[in-house]
Amino acid sequence: MANPPNVREPETRESAARVAAQRSGTHRGWAETKEQLRAAARTEPGRLWIIGTVVALLVVAFGGVTAWEISDRSAAASDVVNRSQPLSADAASIYRSLADADTAAASGFLAGGQEPLEVRKRYDTDIATASRLLVKAAANTTGSAESAQQIATLNEQLPLYNGLVEQARANNRQGFPVGGAYLRFANQKMSTSLLPAAQKLYEAETGRLYDDYDQADTWPYAATALGLVALGGLVWVQRRNFLRTNRVFNHGLLAATAASTVVLLWLVVGHAVASSDLSTSRAHGQESLKVLNDARISSLQARANENLTLVARGAVLTEGGKDLYESEFTKEMASLTDKLGAAKKLADDDAGKTPVAKAVGDMDEWQKRHTAARKTDDSGDYDGALTQVLASKGSTGECFDQVDQALDSAIAHEQRQFTTAASDGRGALTGLPLGAAVLAVLAAAGAGVGISRRLAEYR
C-alpha cells in the first residue's frame, strides 16, 4: 500500500526559509549598524556623539555603582547599631542573668529555710530577664541556625533548672539534706547545659556583629575605580575640545566634571569617616564590652562556686581528690584577674578606667576574705564561715556585689561609647546613595548638553 503524501513538508520548508530570511535580515541589520558607526567615527560630529554617549554612560555607571555599594555598607552599619550589637549584648545579658540566678539560688539555700526576700527576688528577676531576652532573641535572630539551636536548648532546659531549684528550696525549708543534692544537680544542669548554650549564643551573635563590621568597613573599590575613570574621561574630553576649538570652558562638561568630583570626594571622605568611627566603636566600645562581660561572667561563676563549696561540704571532688567547687572558684578568680587587666588596658579615658580599677581593688579584698572564710570552715566552724561569706557587711558577698556594681558601671560607659561612635559612623554615610544617584544623573545631563553644544556648531 502506498504511503500517504507528506502534506507538512511544504510548510516545513517555508518555515525554514522564513527563519533563514530573518537571520539574514538580522545579520544585514547588524552589519549596517556597524558600518554606520564606522562612518560616523570618520566624521567629527559622529566622533563627538560616540564620545558623549560613552562619557554619559560612565558617569551614570559611577553613580549607580556608588549608590549600590554605599547602600550595602550603610545597611551593614545600621545592622551594627540596631541589630547585631544589641543582640550580642542581649546574649551576654542572658548569660549573666543565668549565672546570677545560679549564684542567688546558692546564696538563698545557704541562708537556711527562711530564704531572704531580696535573694529570692533577685533570683526571680534573673529568671524573668533571661526568659524575656530569649523570646526577644528568638524573634530577632532570623537566619542563624546556630542561634536558633541554642535558644531552643535554653528554652527547654531553663524550666527544668527552675524546677530543680524549687525542689531544693522545698527540701531545705523542711530541713531535709536531700535539698543540697537537688541544688548541686541544678548547678550541674546550669554548668553543663544552660551556660554552655548561652555562651554559644553569645559567640554566634558576636560573630554576626563582627561580620557586619567587616562588611561596613570594606572599601568601595568598584565605585572608586569607576569614579576615577569617569573623571579621567571628562577631563580628556575637555582637553580634546580645547585643542580642537581653542575654547577653555564647555559649561556642560564643566558641570558634569564638578558633579562627578563631588560624588567621588563624598564617597572617599564619607566612607573614610564612617570606617574610622566604626573602628573606634569596635576598638574602644565593643572590644571593651566583650572583655567586661567576660569578667562579669567569671565573677558570677566564682561566686556561685564559692557558695556551692559550703553547700556541698566536700561531697564533690575532682579526680585529684580536691574540692571541685573550690578548684573552680580558684580558676574563675584567675580568669577574672586576667580579664580585668585586659579591660584596664582597653579603657581609653578616666570614666572607663575608674570603675575597672575599683573592681580590681574589690576583687583583691574578695580574695583575702575568701581565704579567711576557708580557714574558718576548715577549722570546723561552719556557721562562722557562713557569716564570712553571706553577711551584709565584711563578707565575701559584699565584695562580690561591689565588683559586680563596678563592672556594671564600666559596661554602661563602654556601651555609651560604642553607641556614639557607631551611630556617627552610620551617619557619615547618610544621604550618599541618593546624592550619588542624583548627581550622576545631573553629570550625565551636563555632559550631554556640553556635547550637544559642540554638535550644534556643525549644523
Side-chain angles (χ1 to χ4, degrees):
M1 186 176 186
N3 292 328
N6 189 352
V7 296
R8 292 185 177 273
E9 185 175 347
E11 295 180 6
T12 302
R13 290 176 179 175
E14 289 178 5
S15 298
R18 284 197 299 271
V19 171
Q22 289 173 355
R23 289 177 178 174
S24 177
T26 301
H27 180 74
R28 284 198 304 271
W30 175 238
E32 290 174 359
T33 301
K34 289 195 291 184
E35 184 58 34
Q36 289 173 358
L37 288 173
R38 290 195 192 97
R42 297 188 189 102
T43 65
E44 180 61 16
R47 285 192 289 267
L48 281 174
W49 182 85
I50 293 171
I51 289 171
T53 300
V54 171
V55 168
L57 289 175
L58 275 175
V59 171
V60 170
F62 169 43
V65 172
T66 298
W68 168 61
E69 286 197 316
I70 296 302
S71 293
D72 182 65
R73 274 58 168 184
S74 182
S78 294
D79 283 344
V80 167
V81 178
N82 297 323
R83 184 183 62 84
S84 51
Q85 200 280 332
L87 284 174
S88 175
D90 285 346
S93 294
I94 290 171
Y95 195 115
R96 186 257 171 201
S97 297
L98 292 174
D100 192 60
D102 201 44
T103 299
S107 296
F109 187 92
L110 286 173
Q114 295 298 321
E115 184 177 12
L117 180 61
E118 64 273 11
V119 175
R120 179 58 186 260
K121 184 177 180 182
R122 181 171 182 169
Y123 173 86
D124 290 341
T125 300
D126 285 332
I127 295 297
T129 299
S131 299
R132 175 178 57 82
L133 291 177
L134 282 172
V135 172
K136 181 180 177 183
N140 293 319
T141 54
T142 55
S144 175
E146 175 67 19
S147 295
Q149 180 181 350
Q150 303 312 324
I151 290 170
T153 299
L154 289 165
N155 281 325
E156 177 185 348
Q157 295 296 321
L158 185 55
L160 298 177
Y161 169 82
N162 194 38
L164 289 170
V165 171
E166 292 302 326
Q167 288 279 7
R169 283 172 174 161
N171 283 280
N172 193 37
R173 281 194 296 269
Q174 298 177 67
F176 297 156
V178 74
Y182 274 111
L183 188 64
R184 291 195 299 273
F185 189 28
N187 173 261
Q188 183 181 11
K189 185 168 287 293
M190 176 66 75
S191 301
T192 60
S193 297
L194 285 162
L195 290 182
Q199 179 69 27
K200 290 177 182 178
L201 175 63
Y202 174 63
E203 290 172 353
E205 295 303 332
T206 303
R208 292 179 68 188
L209 169 61
Y210 288 142
D211 287 343
D212 287 336
Y213 263 123
D214 293 339
Q215 186 176 353
D217 195 46
T218 302
W219 188 265
Y221 292 106
T224 304
L226 271 174
L228 292 173
V229 171
L231 273 178
L234 285 166
V235 171
W236 177 81
V237 171
Q238 290 176 90
R239 183 174 182 275
R240 181 180 184 278
N241 184 46
F242 169 73
L243 293 175
R244 290 178 177 272
T245 66
N246 207 30
R247 294 175 181 172
V248 178
F249 296 117
N250 179 299
H251 294 96
L253 291 173
L254 190 63
T257 304
S260 298
T261 302
V262 168
V263 174
L264 185 59
L265 288 175
W266 193 356
L267 168 67
V268 172
V269 174
H271 193 275
V273 171
S275 180
S276 176
D277 287 335
L278 287 171
S279 296
T280 299
S281 75
R282 182 171 182 168
H284 300 296
Q286 175 56 30
E287 292 298 331
S288 293
L289 283 170
K290 187 175 186 302
V291 171
L292 288 168
N293 280 322
D294 289 344
R296 199 174 193 185
I297 288 166
S298 292
S299 72
L300 287 162
Q301 291 179 332
R303 178 59 177 171
N305 284 305
E306 182 178 48
N307 290 337
L308 286 166
T309 301
L310 293 174
V311 172
R313 300 191 183 189
V316 184
L317 303 177
T318 65
E319 293 182 358
K322 295 182 179 180
D323 187 288
L324 174 64
Y325 297 116
E326 177 63 18
S327 298
E328 290 296 317
F329 171 84
T330 302
K331 184 179 73 173
E332 293 300 338
M333 290 300 281
S335 176
L336 176 60
T337 301
D338 293 341
K339 290 178 172 66
L340 286 177
K344 194 171 183 180
K345 291 179 181 178
L346 286 171
D348 59 342
D349 56 14
D350 290 339
K353 293 177 180 178
T354 299
V356 174
K358 185 178 185 309
V360 171
D362 293 331
M363 179 195 66
D364 291 339
E365 181 62 25
W366 182 3
Q367 290 270 33
K368 294 176 184 177
R369 293 182 184 182
H370 175 81
T371 301
R374 293 311 312 143
K375 287 181 179 179
T376 302
D377 187 30
D378 291 340
S379 67
D381 186 2
Y382 180 78
D383 291 336
L386 276 180
T387 300
Q388 289 176 297
V389 170
L390 296 178
S392 58
K393 295 293 183 181
S395 67
T396 60
E398 181 185 29
C399 293
F400 161 72
D401 288 337
Q402 290 171 345
V403 169
D404 195 62
Q405 289 167 8
L407 289 174
D408 187 59
S409 297
I411 288 172
H413 171 72
E414 297 300 338
Q415 183 65 51
R416 288 192 296 270
Q417 281 203 319
F418 164 83
T419 302
T420 299
S423 296
D424 289 344
R426 178 187 59 181
L429 300 176
T430 301
L432 178 51
L434 178 60
V438 171
L439 287 172
V441 171
L442 293 176
V449 170
I451 295 296
S452 296
R453 290 284 182 88
R454 286 284 295 118
L455 287 172
E457 297 173 1
Y458 288 92
R459 294 171 186 169

